[in-house]
Amino acid sequence: MDNEIKPAEVANDVVVSMEYTLTVDGAIVDSSDEDGPLEFLQGHGNIISGLEKALYGMKTGENKRVVVGPAEGYGDYDPKAVMDVPRREFPREIPLKPGVELEVTDQDGDTQFARIVSVGKDEVKLDFNHPLAGKTLHFEITIGDLRIASSEELAHGHVHAHGHGHSHGDDEEEDFYLDDADEEDLDEDEDLLYEDIEDDDYYDEDEFDDEDED
Ligand code: ZN
């Protein structure tokens, strides 16, 4: 339908399509060039707050540079989100080497990402901080199409493909979507499930690459 009414600018409850490039410490870490524009529901915390705040009033075709500090980005780096896990808890197929990224699932089925910091004789040090925690985020964004959200999208607080239907999946979240996993839920006594996500692009920063020197 070409005659549908379009919102004039970014406002609460508007579905925004946005092209973006995210640069951290001088390196591009994420960009819509890879996966196409990001679609999200403005005003519902779908994207990090510092970016969402900067978009109000913008019109289709407008671009902007937005600098977001940790407080309105991925939070400060939390030293308490680093923990030691007995080596024997890891499945054998997981390469226990610094830099390896893991998906960790607890008994409730909640999944978190972690990165191996170091490997000791008996214990493995895992870092559950988001890789962008403590970082200042430099976004360059261009607003694309704006549309009115469906009533279902508003009720759910997020975008559905094509504005209708229901397609909830874990992979629905973009890299810089809010991660609502609660780090305090992590109990050292729980049985945790570890899964190697080395091929995943969740952590794609060069700093996590380690040279194989054995
Ligand atoms: Zn939904």
Side-chain angles (χ1 to χ4, degrees):
M1 292 279 188
D2 275 344
N3 59 352
E4 74 175 301
I5 297 162
K6 301 268 191 184
E9 59 182 40
V10 177
N12 285 340
D13 300 345
V14 167
V15 174
V16 180
S17 172
M18 180 178 79
E19 289 178 37
Y20 66 93
T21 301
L22 169 57
T23 305
V24 175
D25 296 335
I28 293 175
V29 298
D30 193 15
S31 164
S32 54
D33 288 348
E34 293 165 29
D35 299 322
L38 176 68
E39 256 207 337
F40 59 92
L41 184 58
Q42 175 76 3
H44 291 258
N46 290 173
I47 60 173
I48 57 169
S49 63
L51 184 57
E52 183 170 60
K53 255 171 44 179
L55 303 181
Y56 285 103
M58 291 187 72
K59 296 176 169 58
T60 297
E62 257 191 273
N63 54 53
K64 199 181 212 177
R65 286 171 187 270
V66 183
V67 179
V68 179
E72 290 184 316
Y74 289 102
D76 290 319
Y77 185 85
D78 178 9
K80 292 202 295 287
V82 178
M83 67 182 230
D84 291 312
V85 178
R87 234 184 134 120
R88 59 181 151 74
E89 286 191 18
F90 292 85
R92 287 192 55 185
E93 62 269 22
I94 290 187
L96 295 183
K97 293 195 305 184
V100 168
E101 294 107 27
L102 308 168
E103 201 175 303
V104 182
T105 306
D106 67 18
Q107 286 164 325
D108 300 326
D110 293 327
T111 293
Q112 294 188 47
F113 293 97
R115 178 172 53 90
I116 296 179
V117 180
S118 59
V119 181
K121 196 158 88 53
D122 301 314
E123 292 191 315
V124 175
K125 194 178 284 297
L126 290 184
D127 187 348
F128 286 87
N129 280 290
H130 190 283
L132 296 177
K135 301 287 189 185
T136 297
L137 315 171
H138 297 261
F139 289 99
E140 185 156 0
I141 57 111
T142 302
I143 301 297
D145 193 43
L146 302 175
R147 68 168 170 84
I148 295 166
S150 69
S151 53
E152 193 187 46
E153 286 174 321
L154 288 177
H156 288 209
H158 55 227
V159 168
H160 292 161
H162 310 299
H164 54 77
H166 202 254
S167 60
H168 288 168
D170 291 339
D171 53 357
E172 155 182 338
E173 303 210 338
E174 291 285 333
D175 281 355
F176 60 92
Y177 268 51
L178 275 183
D179 180 5
D180 57 8
D182 189 355
E183 267 150 22
E184 278 94 279
D185 282 351
L186 204 67
D187 181 339
E188 298 209 25
D189 295 331
E190 278 186 294
D191 285 331
L192 301 174
L193 185 73
Y194 300 92
E195 212 176 306
D196 188 2
I197 56 160
E198 201 168 17
D199 295 332
D200 198 286
D201 65 359
Y202 190 76
Y203 301 100
D204 54 2
E205 293 168 276
D206 292 340
E207 64 181 283
F208 296 137
D209 286 352
D210 62 312
E211 304 298 324
D212 204 344
E213 288 170 347
D214 328 299

